[in-house]
Amino acid sequence: MIVKLLFIGDIIGEPGRKKIAQFLPELIKKEGIFFTIVQGENLAGGIGITEKTAKEVFNCGVDCITTGNHIWKYKEVYKYLDSEPRLLRPANYPDGVPGKGYNIFEKMGIKIGVLNLEGRVFMKPIEDPFKTGKKIIEEIQKQTKNIFIDFHAEATSEKRALSFYLCDYATGIIGTHTHIQTADEQIINQKCAYITDAGMVGSIDSIIGIRKEEIIAHFLLQLPQKFSVAKENIVGNGVIIEFDENQGIAKGIKRIIF
């Protein structure tokens, strides 16, 4: 059976959460979405995530929240990471950190594995996402062929490299972190849906979701700035992936803007 998975890019602060609450339930209904993943590491104030902001998004029909390097901003979320299996942090952090980096969800008898990884180029030197990802996928495959990866990374080269490394094992590999939706969606090897970056839910009159005046001042003066979330002209980005849930093979991927 062919089903649809919706992946939504980084949701930026309260304006992004309001956009999700306003449009997501209808989008799920209109498109016939079976499973929904959102990138939530910037849900709270434009950086980080809290239990309260995560629950807001879950209440809109989201099945899984993935994150990235900003997951550790608020310590209050640490216990929530351990108690909420629908909230993931990157799997390639060292052993002993709160939460888990992947989960296998079962919905209407269909199992879907979601794996969260973080890149290392221009980012913290954490564990190898390539080796970690391959090892975890081998575990997930014991239960399902439907495997989706959020690769939260800065460098497009690293995202492309990981996509070719894991494309024969994953149903979809979606890049996040740069907040700019790319136009390179494709099906790799007639198997794996891929896009370098899903984009964001934030202001198009901003710099990656932050008020442009503050970012420009930072570049001009090279002084520390207090950044705040842009609140006008909020647009949502994401992708819809159609896949054969019996074979774990992607049949189509399309970008969406809402």
Side-chain angles (χ1 to χ4, degrees):
M1 180 173 68
I2 305 298
V3 294
K4 293 182 180 180
L5 179 139
L6 170 64
F7 188 103
I8 293 177
D10 297 61
I11 302 169
I12 313 299
E14 183 179 17
R17 299 197 312 270
K18 287 183 175 179
K19 184 77 171 182
I20 290 297
Q22 182 181 3
F23 285 93
L24 184 58
E26 181 59 30
L27 179 61
I28 291 173
K29 181 180 178 181
K30 177 183 176 182
E31 293 285 349
I33 302 299
F34 178 74
F35 196 89
T36 301
I37 305 171
V38 303
Q39 226 301 335
E41 71 154 8
N42 297 301
L43 282 174
I47 179 171
I49 183 173
T50 62
E51 180 176 348
K52 179 179 180 293
T53 55
K55 286 181 175 178
E56 278 187 42
V57 173
F58 282 133
N59 289 337
C60 295
V62 169
D63 297 292
C64 175
I65 298 176
T66 53
T67 59
N69 54 304
H70 293 318
I71 183 64
W72 315 114
K73 172 71 173 178
Y74 299 105
K75 288 186 178 180
E76 66 178 79
V77 82
Y78 290 12
K79 288 185 178 180
Y80 189 56
L81 276 167
D82 283 330
S83 64
E84 177 50 80
R86 297 175 296 172
L87 175 62
L88 304 179
R89 48 84 175 162
N92 52 317
Y93 274 89
D95 291 340
V97 302
K100 57 191 297 186
Y102 75 97
N103 196 13
I104 298 172
F105 300 84
E106 186 166 354
K107 189 173 184 180
M108 298 174 61
I110 298 174
K111 289 184 177 181
I112 294 177
V114 182
L115 169 59
N116 200 170
L117 295 170
E118 183 177 317
R120 298 190 295 182
V121 178
F122 308 126
M123 299 180 77
K124 290 183 178 180
I126 56 177
E127 304 294 337
D128 185 350
F130 290 76
K131 294 178 181 178
T132 301
K134 181 71 177 301
K135 182 179 179 179
I136 292 175
I137 282 177
E138 290 173 352
E139 288 298 312
I140 297 176
Q141 283 183 322
K142 294 176 182 178
Q143 296 191 51
T144 181
K145 296 179 181 179
N146 305 313
I147 303 172
F148 294 86
I149 302 171
D150 173 358
F151 190 31
H152 196 77
E154 185 79 33
T156 55
S157 59
E158 188 178 20
K159 292 179 182 180
R160 288 295 285 171
L162 184 116
S163 72
F164 286 119
Y165 182 67
L166 296 179
C167 63
D168 289 334
Y169 313 99
T171 310
I173 300 173
I174 304 100
T176 61
H177 181 64
T178 63
H179 299 191
I180 303 295
Q181 188 182 65
T182 55
D184 61 341
E185 70 276 16
Q186 67 177 114
I187 305 294
I188 302 175
N189 290 351
Q190 299 180 327
K191 166 71 168 66
C192 177
Y194 170 81
I195 188 168
T196 297
D197 204 284
M200 70 174 179
V201 183
S203 172
I204 57 172
D205 190 28
S206 74
I207 298 173
I208 62 172
I210 303 301
R211 293 183 69 243
K212 57 183 182 294
E213 296 83 3
E214 296 167 359
I215 299 292
I216 292 171
H218 174 67
F219 280 118
L220 287 174
L221 303 175
Q222 291 298 302
L223 294 175
Q225 298 284 330
K226 182 179 180 180
F227 298 141
S228 53
V229 175
K231 299 180 179 180
E232 305 297 327
N233 301 318
I234 307 301
V235 172
N237 300 146
V239 291
I240 295 175
I241 298 173
E242 293 185 88
F243 66 100
D244 185 327
E245 54 90 7
N246 290 311
Q247 298 179 304
I249 294 176
K251 297 296 185 179
I253 177 172
K254 71 173 181 178
R255 285 177 287 128
I256 60 167
I257 300 175
F258 60 93

